[in-house]
Amino acid sequence: MESRREKNPMTEEESDGLIAARRIQRLSLHLSPSLTPSPSLPLVQTETCSARSKKLDVNGEALSLYMRGKHIDIQEKIFDFFNSRPDLQTPIEISKDDHRELCMNQLIGLVREAGVRPFRYVADDPEKYFAIMEAVGSVDMSLGIKMGVQYSLWGGSVINLGTKKHRDKYFDGIDNLDYTGCFAMTELHHGSNVQGLQTTATFDPLKDEFVIDTPNDGAIKWWIGNAAVHGKFATVFARLILPTHDSKGVSDMGVHAFIVPIRDMKTHQTLPGVEIQDCGHKVGLNGVDNGALRFRSVRIPRDNLLNRFGDVSRDGTYTSSLPTINKRFGATLGELVGGRVGLAYASVGVLKISATIAIRYSLLRQQFGPPKQPEVSILDYQSQQHKLMPMLASTYAYHFATLYLVEKYSEMKKTHDEQLVADVHALSAGLKSYVTSYTAKALSVCREACGGHGYAAVNRFGSLRNDHDIFQTFEGDNTVLLQQVAADLLKRYKEKFQGGTLTVTWSYLRESMNTYLSQPNPVTARWEGEDHLRDPKFQLDAFRYRTSRLLQNVAARLQKHSKTLGGFGAWNRCLNHLLTLAESHIETVILAKFIEAVKNCPDPSAKAALKLACDLYALDRIWKDIGTYRNVDYVAPNKAKAIHKLTEYLSFQVRNVAKELVDAFELPDHVTRAPIAMQSDAYSQYTQVVGF
């Protein structure tokens, strides 16, 4: 043994390096069998992994232009305005009351000084409105939400649920912030179940007025943005009660929307019969003044009924173009779907900021390294790549998916096509739920990826996480929204077998019911070449197969359990399966839009970078649900291993262009506002923050 040591002297460090280098070489050989082994294996260095292929040279300007589209100018105008106004920038430490006043002043400055008028685009150019919301939300999420309450909710309810008389009377005041308002839908006892609202609006034919009442404590309007301090009006959702001449005496016509003044226009004092309380300090979004409203026989003119879908004449006669309460209710909520569209889009904006901060920090931060060599960037560690690179790929995927949603919503507003309305309703519910849930988890991952520095408030993860958290609840609880998606899928499934048509987003199910549900091909189940695994057709087929199988299984389960448990009981018994089905469908839509975006990118280098990200998104999702594919032999064991290894390799390749990918978001230092993510002299700026 002693003589062997003398003949082959090798230190422990050299031995470890040789083993690691051989593992890397084996991974490369698996992915490209044409590569021949190197006769000599050097110690592991930071460049070793990149030896397999040359780093992409990405045209950052072309990629950014493709990403940000046609509304770059208005976003840059917003960024420049707030960068030039330090007095309107939100400090790290600020009280609730000061934050509320600052938030209102920020909105006034945006509208009256910068000349940005978001309300003019709510109905006529939604794509531009959402671009404004993304930029404003990156300045301060409270400001983005306050703007949304004023223009999308309060203003949007007036122009979407009202008629010309309401637009003529209120548009200019809403636009210039003279008429600040609220959206009073949620009650203490009813949030998701809007049809269960208890506030009443009883018509008094003698005085030609509606009387707004809060019948009990459970009917108090709760969490109403703009109510606690700044709002002068509220769109109040209440049950329309009409007098009748039969034995009942009254008739409940269902939930309608009414404009109710809540404060005096001159004195700003609360009006008679209106009681307003402050909901107080929240987990986040403390720049938004949420309040509670109670109404005690508050009288409003008959004209204050937002009467697009139902009207009351002077003598108390009710008329509507829609025959039933459910139809009217559906049409009313359908016009408010813009809030969900905006939240999905805004959530991607938050994800861009957090991913940018974490990745820029990870490129800068150096820890450990090979013996007697410089420390390496923490983004060179596989574990850090595993945390952040699929997230970066997902950020791009969600960007293109929500951009598609905004485009479909804009088309819906112009055409009012019934099929498109149904499609946008389900798609907005699914994307809002899926994207906001992902972003909420990603914020914690980004914080952890930045270690102790990520815990400093100045580096924003805490405020971003707290402010964004409620995105999972308002404009529809995420679990409830996913059930709406599942219900729509089951409806389409039933229609398919009854010869009905499928809307565009669901059209793949027509083929999938026939093709994807046949027995998996034993040959393709074993294909494991890189070209095959990176083929968009293989990736999309895998996603569609999973959704189709889940849909078929859930439909069979529901039919089975409904015989003994009834409809409601069967739905509850299958609830987890239904949620999984909805998520699978949304992931399929997201991948389809990402593949389409890669195909349409005009610049070759930008297209190559997007293809890397798209492949990583697709294969990472397949790997994370590999059990589903293995259970039905859609993927053979060796193919599963190949997917896993290729996913790891793609994570590294995306790491090589990570800087270019995050730079394409064009979030300058004064937007990210995190010292650890500054693109120049980051540590110097960070030390200045704490007083050195």
Side-chain angles (χ1 to χ4, degrees):
M1 291 297 293
E2 188 69 23
S3 61
R4 183 174 294 181
R5 287 197 185 114
E6 290 174 359
K7 288 180 181 178
N8 298 291
M10 181 179 289
T11 66
E12 186 176 342
E13 290 87 353
E14 288 172 333
S15 177
D16 290 342
L18 183 61
I19 292 170
R22 282 174 175 163
R23 286 175 178 169
I24 292 170
Q25 187 185 63
R26 284 172 187 155
L27 174 61
S28 298
L29 287 172
H30 178 84
L31 295 171
S32 280
S34 59
L35 290 177
T36 56
S38 171
S40 61
L41 292 170
L43 291 172
V44 175
Q45 298 177 3
T46 55
E47 295 85 9
T48 303
C49 292
S50 61
R52 180 173 176 264
S53 62
K54 185 179 178 182
K55 178 180 179 294
L56 276 176
D57 184 14
V58 181
N59 184 335
E61 184 177 349
L63 179 58
S64 180
L65 185 64
Y66 186 62
M67 281 289 291
R68 296 188 63 190
K70 58 188 177 181
H71 297 302
I72 293 177
D73 290 346
I74 190 72
Q75 290 189 325
E76 290 300 326
K77 182 178 181 179
I78 293 167
F79 293 153
D80 290 344
F81 171 72
F82 283 104
N83 192 39
S84 69
R85 292 290 303 275
D87 59 309
L88 293 180
Q89 294 173 13
T90 307
I92 298 300
E93 297 183 43
I94 185 171
S95 70
K96 168 177 65 67
D97 293 340
D98 288 346
H99 196 179
R100 289 174 170 181
E101 286 310 305
L102 174 62
C103 200
M104 188 68 215
N105 290 332
Q106 288 172 331
L107 186 56
I108 290 171
L110 178 74
V111 172
R112 297 179 182 174
E113 295 178 42
V116 176
R117 294 299 184 94
F119 193 44
R120 300 180 183 183
Y121 309 116
V122 168
D124 299 332
D125 192 353
E127 292 179 53
K128 191 168 186 176
Y129 174 78
F130 292 127
I132 293 171
M133 174 175 277
E134 181 184 24
V136 166
S138 69
V139 172
D140 185 331
M141 222 180 298
S142 285
L143 173 59
I145 297 302
K146 194 170 187 72
M147 187 190 93
V149 171
Q150 173 66 16
Y151 295 127
S152 182
L153 296 181
W154 152 236
S157 64
V158 172
I159 60 175
N160 290 323
L161 302 182
T163 49
K164 184 177 182 299
K165 64 182 178 182
H166 301 109
R167 186 184 182 98
D168 291 345
K169 182 175 181 179
Y170 293 99
F171 188 94
D172 289 343
I174 295 172
D175 180 47
N176 63 25
L177 296 175
D178 284 342
Y179 294 171
T180 49
C182 318
F183 184 81
M185 177 180 281
T186 298
E187 294 178 356
L188 183 58
H189 282 181
H190 289 89
S192 299
N193 183 13
V194 179
Q195 279 189 300
L197 296 180
Q198 295 176 296
T199 301
T200 59
T202 305
F203 182 60
D204 179 355
L206 296 179
K207 295 190 175 180
D208 197 24
E209 293 174 335
F210 291 105
V211 182
I212 311 297
D213 267 306
T214 303
N216 54 63
D217 288 352
I220 295 172
K221 297 294 182 181
W222 209 269
W223 292 124
I224 309 304
N226 266 0
V229 180
H230 298 121
K232 294 182 172 70
F233 296 87
T235 294
V236 175
F237 288 81
R239 313 193 74 80
L240 173 56
I241 307 299
L242 295 178
T244 61
H245 300 292
D246 57 19
S247 59
K248 292 183 179 179
V250 295
S251 177
D252 184 342
M253 307 305 296
V255 175
H256 289 63
F258 304 82
I259 296 175
V260 181
I262 60 174
R263 286 187 174 94
D264 187 273
M265 288 295 295
K266 295 180 180 178
T267 66
H268 203 64
Q269 294 298 307
T270 304
L271 291 173
V274 179
E275 297 177 14
I276 303 177
Q277 299 296 332
D278 196 325
C279 286
H281 200 276
K282 306 185 293 292
V283 170
L285 295 178
N286 282 297
V288 182
D289 52 313
N290 293 88
L293 301 172
R294 181 196 285 272
F295 304 100
R296 298 186 187 275
S297 300
V298 175
R299 289 183 171 270
I300 58 172
R302 179 168 54 89
D303 276 351
N304 283 26
L305 166 65
L306 294 172
N307 61 338
R308 178 178 170 187
F309 298 115
D311 203 1
V312 176
S313 66
R314 178 66 184 84
D315 64 359
T317 301
Y318 184 83
T319 56
S320 174
S321 59
L322 300 171
T324 66
I325 287 178
N326 285 339
K327 288 279 189 182
R328 294 192 291 271
F329 179 75
T332 298
L333 292 192
E335 285 301 317
L336 303 174
V337 76
R340 291 176 187 168
V341 176
L343 280 183
Y345 194 77
S347 185
V348 177
V350 177
L351 186 57
K352 289 176 185 176
I353 293 172
S354 59
T356 296
I357 295 171
I359 290 169
R360 284 181 178 166
Y361 171 77
S362 297
L363 286 164
L364 171 76
R365 179 74 166 180
Q366 295 179 335
Q367 292 289 287
F368 305 108
K372 299 178 182 180
Q373 294 189 37
E375 292 184 301
V376 301
S377 161
I378 63 173
L379 199 54
D380 284 329
Y381 288 100
Q382 189 182 60
S383 57
Q384 195 79 344
Q385 292 169 16
H386 180 71
K387 289 177 184 176
L388 297 178
M389 295 304 95
M391 182 191 300
L392 179 56
S394 296
T395 304
Y396 269 80
Y398 305 157
H399 167 84
F400 291 117
T402 54
L403 201 61
Y404 167 74
L405 173 61
V406 168
E407 291 169 355
K408 299 301 286 184
Y409 175 74
S410 299
E411 184 183 347
M412 181 199 82
K413 296 296 289 182
K414 293 174 184 175
T415 64
H416 300 288
D417 179 78
E418 286 189 13
Q419 288 270 35
L420 196 55
V421 169
D423 203 7
V424 169
H425 175 76
L427 186 59
S428 63
L431 280 174
K432 182 268 182 187
S433 175
Y434 189 89
V435 172
T436 58
S437 292
Y438 183 92
T439 299
K441 296 180 181 73
L443 283 162
S444 290
V445 173
C446 286
R447 205 292 301 159
E448 293 169 18
C450 293
H453 294 312
Y455 198 60
V458 71
N459 289 318
R460 294 200 70 190
F461 291 122
S463 60
L464 287 171
R465 185 167 55 186
N466 290 348
D467 287 346
H468 177 274
D469 192 66
I470 193 63
F471 279 40
Q472 299 172 93
T473 301
F474 62 17
E475 291 296 328
D477 174 85
N478 282 358
T479 302
V480 174
L481 293 184
L482 285 178
Q483 290 180 70
Q484 292 182 15
V485 176
D488 202 69
L489 283 166
L490 288 162
K491 178 183 176 184
R492 306 296 174 190
Y493 180 80
K494 181 180 178 181
E495 288 175 352
K496 190 268 177 189
F497 286 106
Q498 293 178 347
T501 59
L502 294 171
T503 57
V504 175
T505 308
W506 280 254
S507 60
Y508 74 85
L509 291 172
R510 183 185 302 111
E511 182 182 353
S512 69
M513 290 300 107
N514 301 318
T515 304
Y516 298 131
L517 293 182
S518 61
Q519 287 298 315
N521 187 318
V523 177
T524 57
R526 285 160 176 76
W527 285 355
E528 54 187 272
E530 181 177 341
D531 288 344
H532 167 66
L533 297 180
R534 296 186 67 180
D535 184 346
K537 185 178 186 308
F538 158 70
Q539 296 165 2
L540 200 52
D541 279 354
F543 277 50
R544 289 174 170 174
Y545 175 85
R546 179 184 57 171
T547 303
S548 302
R549 181 164 285 278
L550 286 168
L551 177 55
Q552 186 185 53
N553 289 344
V554 167
R557 283 173 180 269
L558 283 171
Q559 186 176 32
K560 172 187 173 183
H561 290 303
S562 63
K563 294 176 182 177
T564 55
L565 300 175
F568 182 85
W571 187 269
N572 193 37
R573 174 68 66 88
C574 299
L575 191 50
N576 289 335
H577 295 281
L578 290 160
L579 300 178
T580 302
L581 165 64
E583 289 176 339
S584 177
H585 168 66
I586 293 302
E587 286 177 352
T588 303
V589 174
I590 290 169
L591 178 60
K593 293 300 120 186
F594 202 172
I595 290 171
E596 186 179 304
V598 174
K599 181 180 178 181
N600 294 336
C601 182
D603 180 81
S605 69
K607 187 172 189 173
L610 290 174
K611 179 72 169 85
L612 275 177
C614 186
D615 289 342
L616 177 56
Y617 171 76
L619 294 177
D620 181 67
R621 286 304 313 135
I622 291 173
W623 173 249
K624 281 184 170 139
D625 201 17
I626 198 67
T628 296
Y629 297 104
R630 285 290 303 116
N631 285 342
V632 294
D633 289 327
Y634 190 85
V635 170
N638 285 346
K639 187 171 187 174
K641 292 178 183 177
I643 290 170
H644 179 50
K645 290 179 179 179
L646 183 54
T647 301
E648 289 182 344
Y649 172 71
L650 288 171
S651 286
F652 173 75
Q653 289 294 341
V654 172
R655 175 261 176 268
N656 276 342
V657 292
K659 183 180 185 303
E660 290 84 351
L661 288 171
V662 296
D663 286 352
F665 299 148
E666 289 200 344
L667 298 174
D669 288 346
H670 69 267
V671 174
T672 58
R673 299 200 317 279
I676 58 170
M678 296 300 181
Q679 298 178 80
S680 61
D681 202 20
Y683 279 122
S684 174
Q685 296 193 50
Y686 191 25
T687 54
Q688 290 175 26
V689 169
V690 296
F692 288 106

